[in-house]
Amino acid sequence: MPIDLQDLSRRLFKTAEQLWTNTALRPDQYAQPVLALIALRQMEAKFDLVDAELGKTFSGRLKPTPADYQGRGAIFLPANARFSYLLGRPETENLAEALNEAMKGITEHNPDLAGVLPQGYGSLPNSVLRELMRLLAPLRVAGDAYGLIFEYFMGQFASAFMQKGGEYFTPSSIVKLIVEVIEPYHGKIFDPACGSGGMFVHSADFVRRHHKNPSREISVYGSEKMADTQKLCRLNLAVHGLSGDIREANSYYDDPHGMVGKFDFVMANPPFNQSEVDRDRLVNDTGKLDARFSLGVPTTNNANYLWIGLFSAALNEQGRAGFVMANSASDAGGSEREMRRKLIESGAVDVIVSTSPNMFFTVTLPVTLWFLDKAKAKSPRGDQVLFIDARHIFRQVTRAHRDFTPSQVEFIGNVVRMWRGEEEELEAGSGPKMTEVFGDDGYRDIPGLCKVASRAEIAAQGWSLNPGRYVGVAPGEQPDDQDFRERLETLQEELEGLNAEAERLHVIIAQNVAGVLAA
């Protein structure tokens, strides 16, 4: 009988709520220890598979080394650090202490995890730890099961502490679409706002799906300003058999990877509409604006175009980027319009995709996916941009949450591939839909779905990158409906921003009041 992943995730979070009620810990303090338990369950599942493989090679006194497991993408687990061993400890034994020793033993045998695994289980009640492990024990982790749990669990923590998009994780179907479009077969991948590392994990999945070894084909580099989230990223990579150079850094002010012109691929979900960036810190030692901000600095108190310029600057001459961006950035005026014009005139803007609302756990507003391709500028498509309106393409998972099915991701990816003159991919079942929409004649503009616009057409629209301005409406849909929807989405984005700011101020006020009362 298959596991109900959503039910299991809800029960996990309900158990974690006991920590909120019965301990003095904040959710941002217990997120990592709980997620490490989930990771340990996955580590053992992979360890057991590799152990069985190695058992066919090693016999008698000859035993595999930790390096043998690591070479096959598994974390080596000493006997006292295996999930099943810990779960079977007597009720009278101190499970928290056993977990601390287990995490220490894992780190000793897997140096890449130094500083990542938590050592603070002594502050968590044994009864809660046992209940968490019992809930995890029946799970048979296969395919994307671990990713779903990891994503849901982090989403619940993020909803309370990180309201703005991009500061923790990106839903897997959004990441898969980004990967599908930029096609990271081989090279260096960079995410300057890497959160939990989902972009890297799904890039590796893409490489595997095309019958290559990710550890040989791609190398990953990331920056993350939150120390705990940087650790989660490294943990997530390790659980998926990956390693990478993930630095704790604020990408506005720090450049630990020497990023300008270095990368084949950039993938990111930056925080939307962030304000109060210290502009004095964006200049280099000579007093000039750092080359990382290739489009300049906007006069508005909004960092969206700082991020866009940074993504563009990180690409080499053949590089591609795919990133999530607030809808408002597509039509922003003033200095941001001039920065957008500069980017469009460079020929690097490749594809723009609009999505429906409710694709994220933590915010309801729709987003836009931007794709850059530095090599396109010198191709026959150099002055063209492909716009795709995917707001009507989604699966309704719950009343408040949507995603893309694998077939829908493949379908949108195939629209891009047809326009580029590449071969379609049909493994996920998008073939019938492709035939229904496009027939057998290759790419063509489809009202309500996709449109190729020239640079002159984009200039006539005030350099807008809003797909709705170009794609038009599907047969039977009224243009007024489209205009109303765009206005409503703009208002919704403003409301989301105000709600996030209100939440931030609420936390600050609560902390200040607590400080006054404790004085």
Side-chain angles (χ1 to χ4, degrees):
M1 181 176 178
I3 297 289
D4 184 337
L5 290 171
Q6 287 194 336
D7 177 64
L8 177 60
S9 298
R10 283 192 293 268
R11 287 189 287 136
L12 273 170
F13 187 70
K14 190 171 183 61
T15 305
E17 281 184 322
Q18 295 180 35
L19 299 172
W20 175 255
T21 303
N22 301 317
T23 76
L25 298 179
R26 302 187 310 271
D28 58 323
Q29 292 174 310
Y30 63 71
Q32 190 183 20
V34 174
L35 287 168
L37 285 180
I38 299 174
L40 182 60
R41 178 66 186 89
Q42 169 69 348
M43 288 178 192
E44 185 174 55
K46 184 65 177 288
F47 176 89
D48 288 343
L49 289 174
V50 173
D51 190 59
E53 292 175 8
L54 292 173
K56 301 172 184 176
T57 306
F58 293 85
S59 59
R61 294 184 178 181
L62 190 61
K63 302 294 183 183
T65 67
D68 293 315
Y69 290 88
Q70 294 154 1
R72 289 166 172 78
I75 301 297
F76 177 78
L77 300 176
N80 71 330
R82 295 170 194 173
F83 189 95
S84 54
Y85 170 86
L86 292 162
L87 183 63
R89 295 298 82 207
E91 293 282 337
T92 55
E93 187 170 321
N94 188 326
L95 182 57
E97 185 177 303
L99 278 166
N100 284 336
E101 286 299 312
M103 297 301 170
K104 182 179 178 181
I106 294 171
T107 301
E108 288 174 353
H109 289 90
N110 304 272
D112 282 352
L113 291 178
V116 172
L117 296 174
Q119 294 285 306
Y121 285 102
S123 61
L124 306 182
N126 273 293
S127 59
V128 175
L129 289 173
R130 291 187 188 282
E131 181 60 21
L132 280 168
M133 296 191 73
R134 289 191 186 104
L135 283 165
L136 282 169
L139 183 62
R140 296 294 176 263
V141 184
D144 200 29
Y146 173 75
L148 288 173
I149 293 175
F150 200 85
E151 175 181 290
Y152 179 87
F153 210 68
M154 287 195 297
Q156 295 301 310
F157 291 126
S159 66
F161 286 88
M162 301 175 183
Q163 287 289 337
K164 292 188 178 182
E167 293 189 48
Y168 216 73
F169 76 96
T170 309
S172 60
S173 71
I174 293 285
V175 182
K176 288 175 181 177
L177 179 54
I178 291 175
V179 170
E180 196 83 3
V181 173
I182 69 170
E183 301 175 318
Y185 289 104
H186 176 85
K188 295 179 178 180
I189 303 175
F190 180 47
D191 184 346
C194 66
S196 62
M199 301 285 185
F200 304 134
V201 170
H202 288 294
S203 294
D205 288 343
F206 176 86
V207 173
R208 288 191 195 96
R209 184 158 57 85
H210 290 87
H211 312 295
K212 299 285 186 178
N213 185 334
S215 63
R216 295 196 186 103
E217 300 297 327
I218 60 174
S219 52
V220 301
Y221 302 80
S223 297
E224 168 54 48
K225 69 176 183 178
M226 306 293 289
D228 284 351
T229 310
Q230 184 253 15
K231 292 177 182 178
L232 283 176
C233 178
R234 291 171 58 197
L235 180 60
N236 197 14
L237 292 179
V239 163
H240 287 88
L242 301 172
S243 61
D245 187 354
I246 311 301
R247 307 287 186 88
E248 182 185 339
N250 184 326
S251 289
Y252 294 128
Y253 314 124
D254 306 317
D255 184 18
H257 299 294
M259 52 154 276
V260 175
K262 180 174 180 177
F263 295 100
D264 301 288
F265 303 97
V266 172
M267 307 171 67
N269 178 16
F272 301 158
N273 302 317
Q274 200 160 52
S275 60
E276 308 307 328
V277 174
D278 186 347
R279 297 173 184 232
D280 292 338
R281 297 175 63 187
L282 304 183
V283 299
N284 58 28
D285 294 337
T286 64
K288 293 183 179 180
L289 181 67
D290 194 290
R292 294 179 299 130
F293 304 104
S294 59
L295 300 179
V297 178
T299 58
T300 55
N301 190 12
N302 187 310
N304 287 341
Y305 275 81
L306 290 177
W307 284 109
I308 295 170
L310 188 150
F311 301 147
S312 178
L315 294 174
N316 60 32
E317 289 304 308
Q318 303 297 316
R320 287 179 176 176
F323 52 91
V324 185
M325 186 48 59
N327 273 5
S328 57
S330 301
D331 283 311
S335 62
E336 291 171 307
R337 181 191 290 115
E338 287 305 301
M339 297 169 77
R340 189 169 61 249
R341 176 189 62 77
K342 181 179 179 180
L343 183 65
I344 294 168
E345 289 185 333
S346 76
V349 180
D350 190 23
V351 182
I352 304 291
V353 181
S354 56
T355 71
S356 79
N358 297 319
M359 300 292 281
F360 287 72
F361 281 118
T362 54
V363 291
T364 60
L365 74 162
V367 301
T368 304
L369 307 181
W370 293 39
F371 298 93
L372 309 180
D373 184 348
K374 286 288 186 73
K376 182 182 76 73
K378 298 179 182 179
S379 76
R381 298 180 292 110
D383 74 337
Q384 299 176 338
V385 176
L386 172 61
F387 292 94
I388 299 176
D389 189 341
R391 288 178 292 183
H392 59 288
I393 301 175
F394 57 84
R395 170 175 59 184
Q396 195 73 42
V397 181
T398 67
R399 182 182 60 82
H401 182 57
R402 298 170 174 176
D403 69 2
F404 293 123
T405 66
S407 178
Q408 289 168 340
V409 169
E410 186 180 76
F411 172 76
I412 297 170
N414 277 335
V415 175
V416 177
R417 278 186 277 269
M418 278 199 306
W419 176 58
R420 290 174 175 163
E422 299 173 353
E423 187 175 344
E424 297 174 32
E425 296 195 3
L426 305 173
E427 184 178 327
S430 66
K433 185 66 174 179
M434 292 297 297
T435 301
E436 175 191 340
V437 175
F438 292 97
D440 298 319
D441 300 326
Y443 177 84
R444 61 188 173 90
D445 293 340
I446 303 291
L449 174 63
C450 57
K451 160 75 175 177
V452 174
S454 69
R455 195 174 302 168
E457 290 176 286
I458 297 172
Q461 290 287 344
W463 302 102
S464 170
L465 288 178
N466 182 341
R469 287 179 177 253
Y470 305 95
V471 172
V473 297
E477 184 175 335
Q478 297 300 316
D480 288 347
D481 295 341
Q482 190 83 356
D483 293 341
F484 171 76
R485 183 162 59 185
E486 289 178 6
R487 289 196 300 271
L488 186 61
E489 287 173 356
T490 299
L491 291 172
Q492 184 184 26
E493 184 176 325
E494 292 175 0
L495 178 61
E496 293 283 358
L498 292 171
N499 285 340
E501 181 65 11
E503 179 66 26
R504 186 183 71 83
L505 292 173
H506 174 75
V507 171
I508 292 173
I509 291 169
Q511 291 173 342
N512 290 341
V513 170
V516 170
L517 294 176

